[in-house]
Amino acid sequence: MIGRLRGAVAEVGEEEALIDVMGVGYVVRCGSRTLQRLPALGEEALLHIESQWSESAGLRLYGFGTREDRKAFVLLQAIQGVGPKAAMAVLDVLSPAELASAVAREDKAAVGRASGVGPKLALRIVTELKDKPITDGPVLMTAPSTPSAPAKPAPTGDAVAALMGLGVAEVNARRVVEAAASKLGEEATVQALIKAGLQELGR
């Protein structure tokens, strides 16, 4: 079974990425958090892979940016009622460290924010992961921070929305805008981010 892939990012979709390894393209299913952190098209990516086989679907590869993400994915799927889709959904809203903290606090509401995870399943996840080592580091018993005042909308969000309005898929819009923001700095305007994003997309 495949445990890791290192290759060029050939394509990025809404739920998967195509990784070119020495001319062979591997379709890897990824959560939105992992897809957003992939490098630009053509650049090298390293994904930790969980391989699964079924008679109906054949071989499927699930990709993660870190070993802890992959470990949490495996632990989640060991719980009755949690399939790959639900496990991915949980890791889209909670990093492994945040999941460990939610489990330690018995915060089923935090887990229940994941798409397709109802209150009963969230309670089961919190209960069954109680004594499982989700992360390698210490568990921080901190609740999610709640800002006292509404935050000012970030120009990156407006730029992503504008690109989506032009027909760009959300995951691709976020990827190019984040790349542009890192190059242009915090003072970059919405217009500058949109322009840089379109250039990255070749439009």
Side-chain angles (χ1 to χ4, degrees):
M1 289 294 186
I2 297 171
R4 188 175 71 173
L5 283 178
R6 183 193 297 273
V9 180
E11 296 178 15
V12 178
E14 294 185 3
E15 296 182 349
E16 60 190 29
L18 182 65
I19 307 298
D20 188 324
V21 182
M22 299 180 67
V24 179
Y26 292 86
V27 177
V28 184
R29 292 174 178 264
C30 304
S32 61
R33 193 160 57 91
T34 300
L35 289 171
Q36 290 168 12
R37 295 177 180 180
L38 285 176
L41 296 180
E43 295 185 5
E44 186 178 78
L46 173 64
L47 288 174
H48 298 273
I49 303 297
E50 175 63 19
S51 301
Q52 295 187 358
W53 170 269
S54 68
E55 292 186 2
S56 59
L59 178 64
R60 283 189 173 180
L61 306 180
Y62 296 90
F64 307 91
T66 68
R67 290 187 182 88
E68 284 195 337
D69 283 327
R70 179 189 174 193
K71 178 180 179 181
F73 178 74
V74 173
L75 286 173
L76 283 164
Q77 283 196 92
I79 299 171
Q80 182 181 359
V82 180
K85 188 172 183 179
M88 284 284 195
V90 171
L91 293 175
D92 276 344
V93 298
L94 296 170
S95 68
E98 291 168 339
L99 176 59
S101 178
V103 169
R105 300 191 315 269
E106 298 183 358
D107 187 356
K108 61 181 183 294
V111 178
R113 291 190 291 115
S115 176
V117 177
K120 290 184 178 179
L121 185 55
L123 176 60
R124 185 182 301 157
I125 290 172
V126 168
T127 302
E128 296 198 20
L129 290 183
K130 189 69 175 177
D131 299 317
K132 301 290 178 61
I134 301 172
T135 65
D136 297 329
V139 177
L140 300 177
M141 296 288 288
T142 56
S145 59
T146 304
S148 57
K152 182 180 178 181
T156 53
D158 291 336
V160 169
L163 290 177
M164 289 174 63
L166 295 174
V168 179
E170 180 179 359
V171 63
N172 290 333
R174 290 189 183 280
R175 177 174 54 79
V176 297
V177 167
E178 288 176 3
S182 66
K183 292 178 182 177
L184 299 177
E186 296 181 356
E187 302 301 319
T189 63
V190 175
Q191 291 77 10
L193 292 173
I194 294 172
K195 182 178 179 181
L198 289 173
Q199 289 176 343
E200 179 71 21
L201 292 167
R203 296 194 179 189

